[in-house]
Structures are given as structure tokens and as C-alpha cells.
């Protein structure tokens, strides 16, 4: 096992399943034999506000917070939330963003514009960039709530952890009636990365 | 067995492994999940939501007097409410172990202040443990019960948001059988704080503190790690993890017990390392006490901020000073903020729309509805602590006299009212002011994630129980004619508020609209509403309700005109996936551009 700790910053909007996704990732990497820590904020911040989860795994992890500038993978469930945390990445960091937009209130009120061309802004700064159609695929499969599982499928491609461990852990968190749908969602997420 | 646990889950587990029999709490971020976990996972423990923290602490004190191990958990400001019993419980001590968990909220993620409750340990002269991760959260909680019984004292365990809501791997243990038997014990001199007995107990408490200092010197959770002796860091709790992360090779004195402090151990550390930094979040609590012992650290609060939480970057910057190199931003453009918001369909929105129209001064309280202070609603004008709205309105009314009549109201949630609003409303009636108080009864403790309270009719474990009737309670307190409103019906709500604020006598209005996240309260939701794009003039009246389902979109070309040829700059849109069909927007549109999805418009919902 490498001595280095891997830092993943998950970001999204309250209700998108960011925290469930980071819970699943913690269990997967603990199952794979790593020390894990994660940290997020509950309460007021969740009412449609910004949600982030710092997830770290390695041989021995101290801080539950990732130091600014040391994020290895920015894993964003929404475009604007990807942009918001861009400065937390390492120069050679990896960016995975769900190709989905949720307007913040100030944009709904017509007082600010939703930034255009977020994928271009990211791509011009980080070569290792993946735009994943998480929400779109989940809708096609039949349940928008499976978007986080599509995204987990996508990120799972970057680690040497058994696919079966990912799937087992995901399904453990979900009721049996949605297992088949989420298996499809996971596979479709992996497919997104294989193709790009 | 190993398990990933949050600090809060680990504290609950620690209580279980310690053989706790009674646990009580009032919900409050970041402490809420401790009691939720006890209630869900450990059925052998009697668990309750008490109406407030003072009651919770008194309940567990009673259990301790009977010999049971008992635990109260609360957020930092909750201890202000429980401070009265707490300060004297330190005199009387315990029979069964008594542990108080305080969860502080540096950075104010969901709080009204960021007070540092380590000060309470010193103030009340009780020992305090401070875990630095989930494993210690469990271990220290368990240990706290043993220390409580051994030294006959309440014991505090302090967590912070980044301990309570961070997760790590925890090694689970088995529950123990507590050594103290549970029975009635009549120990008048120990537990009845008449002045003559209390004078004796004060001396007992001071002697106990001396013994606890000796304990602190030996305690294995106060760990000295001598690595590179040029720099030594004295730290505790989460700050240890941040410092260890950025400076793994420095020497450390990590304090697992932050009160009382081990003077000899601290002296030894100062002798073993060249220069010492004290790294701690919020107040210079360790630093001041270490300086008072005569030691001279090289740096403390001159390098690390008092305000806000620390993180690895801030710690690195504080230690390195001028040698610190900040990471270079790769993107400097503006990113629209995304503050938290009232949910689509939230019952508070209707009341706020009316208060905004009436241009009244609104004293707010603690809960989701404080979010009404943000634009575009911007209707909350003050908010200090639980229950403060009612006293504020009464005091303002007394100060303003006739000048203020019809212009001030207070809003308070159902759970908050039962926590700290009953006495202030009693005062309004007793001391006769024209205050108008609106209870926003959404049938749950909303902000902390839907917990039961004495007004919901259910206990923490979902058993049916007595349900307080706010109208009857209002009458009992002295309100002559308490009123009910449907907050989703704007005309009705406006009429009732107008009538009540003009009155000379106290008024109570109960807004009856369940929280949209409390699904059990709704028979069904309505069909989403729709904007008729041929009619919308883009006036933004609906947009200014601040509903996340409604957005304003600029239009150009052909779209820049209504069907009647009126020029417009934009139109409103309703996201059908977010709209639960509350029909507030339908009621505020003067152009008939918002259309109901139902056969006939429904103002609000069919509730159970």
C-alpha cells in the first residue's frame, strides 16, 4: 500500500446525495484495507445550500479536512459547485463533474448569471477532466435519484478496488426494489469513463 | 469489530458500552445525532427528547442520584440553558456516572455564536475530556463515566462540528455492567443545597479538583510525543489532527483532558523542546492557563485566529509565519453564492409574504424561519437565542408605547416555543402588552432534521403520547382569543395578522402548516403549477417569494412580448420537479399567468 493519502473533495447541492456517496466511498476503502476519514457539515447548510464532503484514505489519515491546494480529485455533482472548489485542487489534480446545473437563488432572482462555459474553464486549467452525464443517464434509466450512483460508477474506474466491493457496498445502502436500477446506473457510470 | 462512525455515533456507542441507563437531550446542531443514534441503535437505554437542555440535564441528574449512569447531550449554546443545574450539580456530585456532552460549533455552521465551552469546565470546576477523532470520542465517553463515579463529579466531554460530523474507523467494545446499584438513596446533605450543606459541598468540590489535577498528570490520554525537539506543539482535539497533518515530525503534547491541566507534564514538555506553540480553536483557553502556570510559549493566539475554525492551511500559516507560501488560485472569476433557503412549499413562506407586505418589524427566533432574514424575503429583523422573539416584542412594545402598535410581531417555531417561549408569553399576558406572537407550527423540530417534541404527539421512539394544543396553552397563559391560520392562504393570513396587530391586548396566532419534509403529515402533494408564457409580464412578484422552484429568465426577440403585445425583459419559470403545488405564487400573480395543475386551485395541502 502506498504511504500517501488520497484526497477527494465531493461537492454538490443539498439533496443530491453527496453525503451518501461519501459514506459509500468510506466503506469501500475501509473494506479495501485503508484508513479512512471524512468530514462534512449538516444542519442549516443543507437547506438547498452548498454541501461538501472531504474524503481521505491512506495508510494513516490524521486531518478529516483536506488542506486547500491538496485535493487530488474534485468530484462535483453539479457544475457550479465544481467551479466553486477549483482552487482547492493540486496543480495536477483530477476533476470529475456531473454535467448538470442547479440555479442558486441569486440566479433565480435574475440578479446574477449562472457562469457560462464551466467545462471550458475547467478544461483549460486541468487536463485530467471528465464531464459525466450522471443526471441525464439516471433520468434515462428511470430515476433521477440514481445520479449519485452513476457518478460513483465513474469515479470507481480510477481505483484498483474490486468492482464487486463497490457494488456490494452501494446496494447495502439501498432498498432491494431499486437494486437492479442502481446496478445499471453504476455500470453506465463506469462506461462513461471507459469511453472518454 | 471495526466500524466507520461519526463522532456522534461514537459518543452514542461509548454511552452504550459504559452501560448508560438514561439519556436525554434537546436537538441542536452539531449534537443531534447522538440521541438519534442512542434511540435507534441501543434500545436498552431509556432515551428522550426533553423540551430543553435544562430539563434534559435535570432528568439525567435524577437518574444519577438513583445510581444509574446517565448522559445529557447538547449543542454549545444549549449549555447556557442548562447552566443553572450544571453549576450546582458540580457541588452535589453523582451516584451513577453523570456525563454531559457539549458539541461546540466553531465557524457557526448552524449556530448563533461560537462560544468555547471549555470555559464552562473551568467555571463549573468539572473535568473535561476532548477527543480528537471518532475512536477517542467513544473511548473518552466511556472513560468519563468511570471518572465521574471515582471522583464523585459530573464530567464533560467536548466535541466540535469537525469531530461530531467527521467519520473515522472505530474499534467496538462490549457493554459493561456499571458498579453502582440503582435504588432510592436519601442523602440530604449531599443533594440538598441548603446554604449550610452547600458550603460543605463547595469545599468537597475544591478538594476534588486537586485530586483531578493528579489524575490529569497520569492520564494516558495526555500524550507526549517527542520527535524533532526544536518545535513542540501543545494542542487538543481536532487541532491536533490539523497540526499533525502538516507537521508530522514536530514534537507534541496532545491533551485528551483539557480541564484540569497537568502542570508537571506541561513543564516537562517545555524542558524537552526548544520552542512551544499552543494550537487551539476559538479562545486561548490552554494558552492562558499555561501562561498562568508561568510557562512562556513562543506563539499562540498571536498566530492562530480566535474567530472561526482552524484547518490544516491556517495551522501551517500560523507556524511558518513569513515562510508560509499560499497556494496560487487557478480561477479568480466570481462564483454565485448558494445560501441555504426555505424549501419549495415551506409553510413559513406564506406568513413571511404577509409580514413583508405589512412592512412590520419581525423579531425572529431560532429555526429554519431565521432564513427569512435573507433576500428576497428579508423579513427577520432580530434573533438572539431560543425564545428571544417574544421577550423582544414585549420589551419593544413597552418602550415604543402607542408608536409601535400594529408595527411589531414575533415569530417562533413550535419546538422553539415549547423550549423557551412559554415563560415569555406568560410574561406578555401577565404584564399586559399588545405583543402579537405567531407560532409557526410545522409539527416538528425542522432545522435539525425533524425531531419530535411535546407538540407533535410522538416520543423519540415514535410512541404516541400527549400532544400539546397551542391554542389551549395560549388561553391558559392569558391570551383571550388565540387564532389559527392556514399559512398557504395569503388572504386569510393577512386578514388575521392585520386584525391582531391592531389590538391593545396580547395576541397569539398559530400558523398551522407542516414542514414539507415531514411526509407523514401530508395526504398527498398537489400537482405542480405552471407559468403561462403568453401572459407573464416578468414583474418578478412570484420570483420574490424566494421559492427555489421559481426562476426568472431573461428573454429576447419574439419572446420579449406578451400575447397582448406588452414588452417584457424576462419571464418566470416553475421547475415541475421541485414544485409541490402550494399555490402561493398563484395567489400573488396579478396577471393570471400562473396556472394551477389542479381542477380547482388548492391553497395549501390536505394534511393528516
Amino acid at each position: 500500500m502506498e504511504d500517501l493519502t488520497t484526497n477527494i473533495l465531493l461537492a454538490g447541492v443539498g439533496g443530491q446525495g453527496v453525503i451518501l456517496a461519501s459514506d459509500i466511498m468510506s466503506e469501500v476503502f475501509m473494506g479495501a484495507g485503508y484508513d479512512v476519514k471524512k468530514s462534512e457539515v449538516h444542519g442549516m447548510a443543507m437547506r438547498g445550500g452548498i454541501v461538501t464532503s472531504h474524503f481521505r484514505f491512506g495508510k494513516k489519515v490524521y486531518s478529516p479536512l483536506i488542506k486547500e491546494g491538496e485535493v487530488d480529485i474534485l468530484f462535483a455533482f453539479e457544475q457550479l459547485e465544481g467551479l466553486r472548489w477549483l482552487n482547492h485542487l493540486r496543480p495536477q489534480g483530477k476533476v470529475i463533474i456531473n454535467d448538470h446545473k442547479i440555479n442558486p437563488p441569486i440566479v433565480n432572482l435574475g440578479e446574477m448569471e449562472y457562469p457560462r462555459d464551466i467545462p471550458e474553464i475547467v478544461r483549460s486549467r486541468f487536463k485530467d477532466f471528465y464531464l459525466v452525464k450522471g443526471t441525464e443517464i439516471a433520468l434515462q434509466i428511470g430515476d433521477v435519484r440514481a445520479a449519485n450512483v452513476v457518478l460513483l460508477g465513474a469515479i470507481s474506474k480510477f481505483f484498483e478496488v474490486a468492482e464487486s466491493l463497490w457494488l456490494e457496498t452501494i446496494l447495502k445502502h439501498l432498498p432491494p426494489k431499486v437494486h437492479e436500477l442502481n446496478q445499471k446506473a453504476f455500470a453506465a457510470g463506469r462506461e462513461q469513463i471507459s469511453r472518454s | 469489530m471495526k466500524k466507520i462512525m461519526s463522532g456522534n455515533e461514537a459518543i452514542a456507542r461509548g454511552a452504550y458500552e459504559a452501560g448508560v441507563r438514561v439519556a436525554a437531550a434537546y436537538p441542536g446542531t452539531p449534537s443531534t445525532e447522538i440521541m438519534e443514534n442512542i434511540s435507534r441503535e441501543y434500545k436498552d437505554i431509556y432515551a428522550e427528547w426533553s423540551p430543553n437542555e435544562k430539563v434534559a440535564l435535570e432528568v439525567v441528574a435524577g437518574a444519577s442520584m438513583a445510581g444509574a449512569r446517565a448522559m445529557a447531550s447538547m449543542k454549545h449554546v444549549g449549555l447556557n440553558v442548562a447552566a443553572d443545574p450544571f453549576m450546582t450539580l458540580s457541588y452535589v456530585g453523582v451516584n451513577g456516572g453523570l456525563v454531559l456532552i457539549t458539541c461546540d460549533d466553531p465557524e457557526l455552521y448552524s449556530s448563533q455564536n461560537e462560544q468555547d465551552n471549555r470555559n464552562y469546565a473551568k467555571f463549573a470546576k468539572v473535568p473535561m475530556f476532548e477527543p480528537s477523532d471518532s475512536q477517542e470520542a467513544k473511548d473518552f465517553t466511556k472513560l468519563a463515566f468511570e471518572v465521574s463515579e471515582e471522583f464523585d463529579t459530573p464530567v464533560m466531554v467536548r466535541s466540535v462540528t469537525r469531530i461530531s460530523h467527521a467519520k473515522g474507523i472505530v474499534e467496538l467494545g462490549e457493554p459493561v455492567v456499571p458498579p453502582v446499584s440503582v435504588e432510592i438513596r436519601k442523602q440530604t446533605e449531599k443533594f440538598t443545597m441548603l446554604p449550610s450543606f452547600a458550603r460543605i459541598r463547595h469545599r468537597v468540590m475544591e478538594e476534588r479538583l486537586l485530586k483531578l489535577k493528579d489524575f490529569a498528570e497520569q492520564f494516558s490520554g495526555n500524550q507526549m510525543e517527542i520527535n524533532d525537539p526544536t518545535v513542540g506543539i501543545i494542542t487538543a482535539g481536532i487541532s491536533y489532527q490539523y497540526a499533525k497533518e502538516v507537521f508530522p515530525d514536530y514534537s507534541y503534547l496532545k491533551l485528551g483532558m483539557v480541564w484540569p491541566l497537568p502542570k508537571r507534564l506541561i513543564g516537562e514538555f517545555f524542558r524537552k523542546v526548544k520552542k512551544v506553540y499552543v494550537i487551539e480553536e476559538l479562545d486561548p483557553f490552554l494558552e492562558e492557563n499555561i501562561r498562568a502556570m508561568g510557562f512562556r510559549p513562543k506563539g499562540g493566539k498571536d498566530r492562530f485566529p480566535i474567530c472561526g475554525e482552524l484547518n490544516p492551511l491556517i495551522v501551517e500559516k500560523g507556524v511558518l509565519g513569513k515562510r508560509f507560501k499560499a497556494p496560487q488560485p487557478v480561477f479568480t472569476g466570481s462564483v454565485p453564492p448558494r445560501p441555504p433557503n426555505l424549501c419549495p412549499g415551506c409553510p413559513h413562506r406564506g406568513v413571511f409574504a404577509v409580514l413583508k407586505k405589512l412592512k412590520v418589524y419581525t423579531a425572529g427566533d431560532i429555526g429554519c424561519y431565521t432564513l427569512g432574514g435573507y433576500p428576497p424575503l428579508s423579513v427577520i429583523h432580530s434573533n438572539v437565542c431560543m425564545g428571544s422573539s417574544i421577550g423582544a416584542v414585549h420589551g419593544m412594545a413597552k418602550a415604543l408605547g402607542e408608536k409601535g402598535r400594529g408595527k411589531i410581531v414575533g415569530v417562533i417555531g413550535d419546538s422553539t416555543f415549547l423550549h423557551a417561549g412559554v415563560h415569555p408569553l406568560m410574561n406578555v399576558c401577565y404584564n399586559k402588552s399588545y405583543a402579537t406572537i405567531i407560532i409557526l407550527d410545522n409539527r416538528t423540530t425542522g432545522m435539525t432534521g425533524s425531531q419530535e417534541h411535546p407538540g407533535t404527539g410522538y416520543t423519540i421512539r415514535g410512541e404516541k403520547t400527549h400532544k400539546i394544543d397551542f391554542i389551549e396553552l395560549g388561553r391558559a397563559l392569558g391570551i383571550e382569543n388565540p387564532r389559527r391560520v392556514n399559512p398557504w392562504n395569503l388572504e386569510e393570513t393577512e386578514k388575521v395578522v392585520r386584525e391582531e396587530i391592531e389590538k391593545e391586548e396580547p395576541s397569539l396566532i398559530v400558523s398551522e402548516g407542516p414542514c414539507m419534509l415531514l411526509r407523514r403529515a401530508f395526504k398527498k402533494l398537489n400537482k405542480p403549477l405552471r407559468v403561462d408564457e403568453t401572459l407573464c409580464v416578468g414583474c418578478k412578484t412570484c420570483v420574490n417569494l424566494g421559492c427555489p422552484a421559481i426562476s426568472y429568465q431573461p428573454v429576447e426577440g419574439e419572446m420579449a412580448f406578451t400575447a397582448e403585445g406588452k414588452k417584457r425583459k424576462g419571464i418566470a419559470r416553475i421547475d415541475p420537479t421541485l414544485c409541490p403545488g402550494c399555490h402561493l405564487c398563484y395567489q400573488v400573480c396579478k396577471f393570471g399567468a400562473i396556472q394551477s395543475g389542479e381542477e380547482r386551485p388548492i391553497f395549501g395541502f390536505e394534511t393528516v
Side-chain angles (χ1 to χ4, degrees):
Chain A
M1 189 186 295
E2 280 184 54
D3 275 356
L4 288 177
T5 299
T6 302
N7 300 323
I8 302 174
L9 179 62
L10 294 92
V13 178
Q16 280 196 293
V18 173
I19 288 172
L20 177 62
S22 75
D23 275 338
I24 288 168
M25 290 178 76
S26 311
E27 283 182 33
V28 166
F29 285 91
M30 181 178 85
Y34 291 93
D35 187 20
V36 298
K37 269 193 184 163
K38 66 164 218 151
S39 174
E40 64 240 351
V41 171
H42 305 215
M44 192 181 223
M46 283 186 70
R47 299 276 172 268
I50 297 164
V51 175
T52 61
S53 179
H54 293 235
F55 169 60
R56 314 187 67 211
F57 69 90
K59 199 170 166 188
K60 167 77 187 161
V61 182
Y62 290 100
S63 170
L65 286 179
I66 304 165
K67 196 172 123 190
E68 195 179 325
E70 293 194 353
V71 169
D72 296 300
I73 304 176
L74 173 60
F75 187 25
F77 287 38
E78 198 268 351
Q79 283 199 15
L80 182 60
E81 296 313 310
L83 185 63
R84 192 183 306 283
W85 304 103
L86 217 52
N87 288 330
H88 284 243
L89 275 156
R90 286 184 198 283
Q92 302 302 321
K94 185 191 299 295
V95 188
I96 303 169
I97 297 183
N98 183 20
D99 190 5
H100 180 60
K101 295 179 184 177
I102 301 172
N103 283 345
I106 200 161
V107 172
N108 277 345
L109 294 172
E111 289 168 14
M112 253 180 117
E113 267 189 48
Y114 193 101
R116 289 167 195 219
D117 312 328
I118 290 175
E120 284 67 34
I121 294 171
V122 177
R123 194 170 286 119
S124 66
R125 289 162 175 83
F126 295 93
K127 287 199 188 91
D128 203 3
F129 169 49
Y130 304 84
L131 193 64
V132 178
K133 299 195 178 306
T135 304
E136 197 182 309
I137 291 170
L139 279 168
Q140 281 167 13
I141 293 174
D143 190 344
V144 69
R145 285 173 298 183
N148 56 357
V149 174
V150 178
L151 294 166
L152 283 172
I155 199 169
S156 73
K157 282 291 272 188
F158 297 103
F159 303 103
E160 288 169 13
V161 172
E163 192 179 338
S164 58
L165 178 57
W166 280 94
L167 257 178
E168 262 168 45
T169 314
I170 290 169
L171 298 185
K172 213 172 72 188
H173 283 266
L174 298 169
K177 62 177 180 184
V178 297
H179 279 190
E180 200 186 323
L181 186 138
N182 280 282
Q183 275 168 330
K184 273 190 209 162
F186 185 76
R190 285 179 72 86
E191 177 72 9
Q192 283 270 300
I193 300 301
S194 307
R195 254 193 274 156
S196 56
Chain B
M1 194 188 133
K2 283 183 176 180
K3 204 175 166 198
I4 295 181
M5 285 184 150
S6 69
N8 282 348
E9 288 169 319
I11 289 168
R13 177 77 197 184
Y16 166 72
E17 290 182 11
V20 163
R21 185 177 284 216
V22 174
Y26 179 80
T29 312
S31 72
T32 312
E33 300 83 5
I34 297 171
M35 195 54 60
E36 286 185 324
N37 265 276
I38 288 179
S39 143
R40 200 170 44 233
E41 304 290 332
Y42 310 111
K43 304 283 187 200
D44 295 344
I45 301 177
Y46 167 78
E48 72 172 37
W49 290 129
S50 308
N52 65 36
E53 294 86 353
K54 177 179 185 288
V55 176
L57 185 56
E58 287 157 352
V59 167
V60 303
S64 161
M65 287 173 199
R69 287 190 169 179
M71 184 172 92
S73 50
M74 55 197 69
K75 69 183 290 169
H76 58 331
V77 287
L79 184 47
N80 300 337
V81 179
D84 197 3
F86 182 60
M87 295 303 292
T88 304
L89 283 171
S90 174
Y91 278 49
V92 304
V94 307
N95 280 326
L98 196 172
V99 173
L100 188 153
I101 310 287
T102 169
C103 299
D104 296 7
D105 189 17
E107 199 69 38
L108 302 102
Y109 285 102
S110 192
S111 299
Q112 65 268 40
N113 77 21
E114 52 181 348
Q115 71 187 43
D116 185 334
N117 275 9
R118 291 178 299 175
N119 294 299
Y120 265 116
K122 187 177 179 182
F123 191 21
K125 307 186 182 190
V126 301
M128 176 185 262
F129 294 98
E130 181 161 12
S132 73
D133 59 19
S134 295
Q135 180 71 54
E136 286 184 351
K138 194 204 77 166
D139 294 345
F140 288 0
T141 301
K142 203 169 170 180
L143 172 78
F145 287 95
E146 292 165 24
V147 171
S148 173
E149 284 161 9
E150 187 183 338
F151 292 89
D152 188 11
T153 176
V155 176
M156 292 175 85
V157 176
R158 179 195 187 228
S159 176
V160 294
T161 303
R162 295 293 179 187
I163 295 293
S164 283
H165 290 172
K167 288 190 177 180
I169 298 174
V170 178
E171 181 76 49
L172 304 185
E174 290 303 315
V176 299
V177 178
V180 184
S181 63
V182 181
E183 59 196 288
I184 292 179
R185 293 177 173 81
K186 292 178 179 164
Q187 301 158 287
T188 305
E189 294 178 21
K190 177 167 163 55
F191 285 112
T192 310
M193 286 303 94
L194 282 163
S196 58
F197 297 149
R199 278 183 209 114
I200 296 164
R201 293 304 302 182
H202 187 183
R203 248 178 257 133
V204 171
M205 179 174 76
E206 296 298 337
E207 284 159 16
R208 178 184 78 205
L209 200 57
L210 295 176
K211 288 179 200 152
L212 282 160
K213 281 180 182 169
D214 287 336
F215 172 84
E217 301 286 356
Q218 308 301 325
F219 173 49
S220 64
N222 289 335
Q223 289 168 356
M224 189 152 14
E225 295 171 37
I226 302 296
N227 305 309
D228 173 359
T230 54
V231 179
I233 290 173
I234 300 180
T235 184
I238 191 67
S239 305
Y240 166 77
Q241 304 291 357
Y242 299 151
K244 188 76 183 168
E245 181 72 36
V246 279
F247 301 113
D249 301 327
Y250 287 167
S251 296
Y252 284 87
L253 177 58
K254 172 184 173 297
L255 298 170
M257 184 175 178
V258 292
W259 194 256
L261 292 172
K263 188 178 175 182
R264 289 196 296 277
L265 191 66
I266 291 168
E268 192 186 332
F269 189 64
F270 269 87
R271 284 192 299 279
K272 282 186 175 165
V273 298
K274 214 166 147 198
K275 55 184 174 189
V276 171
Y277 295 106
V278 181
I279 302 182
E280 57 190 321
E281 255 172 4
L282 301 177
D283 291 348
F285 181 80
L286 301 176
E287 185 186 352
E288 281 178 356
N289 286 295
I290 287 168
R291 287 189 191 276
M293 291 169 182
F295 302 115
R296 291 281 166 268
K298 162 106 172 124
K301 284 295 157 185
D302 53 335
R303 287 165 177 264
F304 308 98
I306 289 181
C307 303
E309 66 176 352
L310 299 181
N311 62 41
L313 196 81
I314 293 171
V315 168
E316 184 180 43
K317 190 177 167 187
V319 172
L320 295 183
K322 284 177 191 158
R323 288 176 295 144
F324 171 74
K325 279 195 198 112
Q328 289 304 306
V330 292
F331 175 73
T332 52
S334 73
V335 182
R338 195 189 294 274
N341 208 343
L342 296 175
C343 303
C346 175
H348 304 330
R349 188 173 282 108
V351 174
F352 288 169
V354 167
L355 298 180
K356 191 174 183 180
K357 184 175 174 193
L358 298 180
K359 297 192 175 70
V360 288
Y361 179 96
T362 305
D365 225 294
I366 304 287
C368 285
Y369 42 95
T370 321
L371 295 172
Y374 285 131
L377 288 166
S378 310
V379 288
I380 300 290
H381 304 110
S382 66
N383 167 38
V384 176
C385 65
M386 296 288 283
S388 63
S389 59
I390 301 176
V393 173
H394 178 74
M396 249 177 232
K398 290 296 181 190
L400 289 164
E402 267 309 292
K403 219 164 47 172
R405 190 139 70 90
K407 293 177 185 151
I408 41 179
V409 303
V411 294
I412 182 166
D414 45 341
S415 188
T416 309
F417 178 73
L418 295 175
H419 175 289
V422 178
H423 282 81
L425 189 62
M426 188 189 296
N427 183 52
V428 163
C429 299
Y430 173 55
N431 285 309
K432 298 188 280 187
S433 69
Y434 54 68
T436 296
I437 304 303
I438 304 173
I439 297 178
L440 301 168
D441 179 11
N442 66 356
R443 298 196 208 169
T444 190
T445 315
M447 180 66 101
T448 44
S450 229
Q451 288 79 29
E452 307 297 346
H453 62 67
T456 67
Y458 295 93
T459 68
I460 190 171
R461 285 193 166 121
E463 291 163 48
K464 281 217 162 199
T465 182
H466 176 71
K467 179 175 182 291
I468 286 179
D469 181 327
F470 290 104
I471 297 286
E472 287 305 317
L473 178 57
R475 265 199 204 107
L477 293 172
I479 304 283
E480 236 167 72
N481 183 25
R483 312 274 300 266
R484 287 189 170 90
V485 294
N486 166 8
W488 290 294
N489 185 327
L490 291 176
E491 200 182 308
E492 175 198 317
T493 303
E494 183 179 335
K495 180 171 173 285
V496 171
V497 174
R498 269 187 198 279
E499 285 169 9
E500 293 302 319
I501 58 177
E502 287 305 333
K503 286 187 181 163
E504 273 177 54
E505 61 267 24
S507 296
L508 180 68
I509 301 168
V510 182
S511 158
E512 294 183 334
C515 174
M516 292 308 296
L517 301 175
L518 191 70
R519 289 294 178 208
R520 72 162 185 240
F522 295 88
K523 280 190 187 145
K524 65 175 184 59
L525 299 182
N526 302 329
K527 293 191 180 111
L529 288 97
R530 202 175 65 78
V531 176
D532 184 333
E533 293 186 358
T534 64
L535 295 175
C536 177
V537 299
C539 70
K540 288 194 181 177
T541 306
C542 60
V543 173
N544 283 322
L545 288 169
C547 173
I550 307 175
S551 62
Y552 177 81
Q553 301 188 345
V555 288
E556 286 170 352
E558 270 178 40
M559 284 294 287
F561 297 92
T562 65
E564 290 175 341
K566 263 194 230 159
K567 187 137 175 53
R568 63 186 178 189
K569 286 182 180 163
I571 54 168
R573 288 243 166 92
I574 296 174
D575 182 340
T577 64
L578 294 177
C579 173
C582 80
H583 284 70
L584 277 191
C585 54
Y586 175 90
Q587 295 168 68
V588 299
C589 183
K590 296 185 189 98
F591 301 91
I594 297 182
Q595 295 177 342
S596 174
E598 301 288 333
E599 269 177 43
R600 249 182 298 156
I602 305 169
F603 294 176
F605 301 92
E606 277 185 68
T607 57
V608 178

